[in-house]
Amino acid sequence: MEKLPKIGLPILVGVVAFIIIISKSVVTIDSGHAGVLYKLNGGVDPNSAPLGEGINFVAPWNSVIDYEVRQQEIPEKMTVLSSNGLDIKLDASVLYQPDLKNLSRLHKEKGQNYLSRVLLPAIRSAARSVVGRYTPEQLYSTKRDAIQQEIFEETKRIVESQYIQINDILIKDVTLPPTIKNAIERKLKQEQESLEYEFRLVSAQKEAERQRIEAQGKADANRILSASLTDKILQDKGIEATNKLAESENSKVVIIGSGESGMPIILGNQ
């Protein structure tokens, strides 16, 4: 009985040590995340594959650095210069994610704060380069989509070798100095009014042309009709009309001689 505690104590210590080792060796990675293995005797191997979702077993003296690898969004507000040196404020959003297959290399070379070290400086550099090619009027109106695409392509070119994947860049707002904005809006309004006036003028010209063609058509028809109406035809038409009047139950027709044109003179009452 005296030996039982002496035997049980090492067993208990061994069980506790085993539990601690197991707990240190099991690493659970959440959905949408991946892990970079840090070895106590060698650090991070840049060529090693990242640890995937779920349960992973690692040596208890090693550690795992967790990274979110699904698409993320970071807002960024910048002040850049236009082609004529005016301050332009951009409100943008960047959709990005780390390059999963190079996650270990990203951690080795850039670290977990790769956003401030790589991504944000790249976006600012690209925005300054692109916006500097355009005037405020182009930024405000016609070229916004093109500028957004150019900033995206420029940023992508900078970071694609830095193990970061850029999915899109969205320009939410472009803010110009108030005086410049008001001047552009007045100019755009004047251009719109000018286009409306030109449209009304063209419409009026088309309507006048239509009426001219219609009148010309009627004149041509009357000329053709007049040329085809001989005295004989007129007499036949007059006789035909007289016969129809005579056949009417409510009409009494008296024909007295004829007119100078050879047409009957019709007197009648109803």
Side-chain angles (χ1 to χ4, degrees):
M1 297 293 293
E2 294 178 357
K3 293 182 179 180
L4 184 60
K6 294 180 180 180
I7 297 174
L9 185 59
I11 295 175
L12 179 61
V13 172
V15 170
V16 172
F18 178 76
I19 293 174
I20 293 174
I21 291 173
I22 291 298
S23 64
K24 291 289 186 178
S25 301
V26 176
V27 177
T28 302
I29 297 179
D30 294 335
S31 178
H33 290 243
V36 174
L37 181 62
Y38 178 87
K39 296 180 179 180
L40 187 62
N41 62 344
V44 175
D45 179 5
N47 296 315
S48 64
L51 303 178
E53 301 174 1
I55 296 176
N56 295 269
F57 294 93
V58 300
W61 51 84
N62 295 334
S63 60
V64 175
I65 301 96
D66 184 87
Y67 276 83
E68 185 174 359
V69 294
R70 58 195 160 196
Q71 179 173 281
Q72 303 165 67
E73 178 184 6
I74 179 172
E76 177 66 4
K77 293 185 177 182
M78 301 167 281
T79 300
V80 292
L81 297 179
S82 65
S83 61
N84 55 358
L86 293 175
D87 285 341
I88 308 296
K89 294 182 180 179
L90 297 181
D91 184 2
S93 284
V94 185
L95 304 179
Y96 73 97
Q97 59 193 104
D99 184 0
L100 180 59
K101 64 180 182 294
N102 289 308
L103 191 61
S104 297
R105 194 175 297 276
L106 174 65
H107 181 78
K108 181 78 172 180
E109 298 182 14
K110 311 302 176 185
Q112 286 183 289
N113 56 345
Y114 65 90
L115 287 180
S116 59
R117 287 185 175 181
V118 179
L119 185 56
L120 292 179
I123 296 168
R124 293 163 187 161
S125 175
R128 286 194 297 269
S129 175
V130 172
V131 173
R133 305 169 194 162
Y134 294 95
T135 64
E137 183 176 353
Q138 291 172 322
L139 295 169
Y140 185 75
S141 55
T142 59
K143 296 294 184 179
R144 182 174 299 193
D145 291 340
I147 292 166
Q148 177 176 285
Q149 183 64 25
E150 288 183 29
I151 294 176
F152 168 71
E153 292 175 354
E154 184 76 11
T155 305
K156 183 178 180 180
R157 183 187 62 80
I158 295 172
V159 304
E160 63 183 356
S161 61
Q162 307 294 320
Y163 323 118
I164 302 171
Q165 177 180 320
I166 296 292
N167 297 331
D168 204 357
I169 293 180
L170 307 175
I171 303 300
K172 298 180 179 179
D173 188 33
V174 177
T175 304
L176 307 179
T179 54
I180 301 299
K181 179 181 178 181
N182 293 337
I184 292 173
E185 288 179 346
R186 286 196 300 270
K187 181 180 178 181
L188 292 176
K189 183 178 179 180
Q190 291 172 356
E191 290 177 351
Q192 183 64 32
E193 291 175 348
S194 176
L195 290 174
E196 291 178 358
Y197 174 77
E198 290 179 2
F199 175 77
R200 291 196 299 268
L201 184 61
V202 170
S203 297
Q205 290 174 344
K206 288 182 178 180
E207 177 63 18
E209 181 66 14
R210 185 193 66 79
Q211 293 178 359
R212 187 192 67 78
I213 293 173
E214 183 178 353
Q216 184 64 41
K218 290 180 178 179
D220 292 342
N222 290 336
R223 185 173 62 254
I224 294 171
L225 181 61
S226 298
S228 64
L229 291 178
T230 64
D231 293 342
K232 180 62 176 174
I233 292 176
L234 290 174
Q235 289 177 359
D236 290 343
K237 293 291 184 182
I239 294 170
E240 181 181 347
T242 302
N243 289 335
K244 289 183 178 180
L245 288 173
E247 293 173 356
S248 173
E249 296 180 355
N250 297 322
S251 300
K252 293 180 180 180
V253 180
V254 178
I255 302 175
I256 304 175
S258 62
E260 295 179 356
S261 62
M263 296 295 294
I265 298 176
I266 303 170
L267 300 176
N269 63 335
Q270 296 182 354

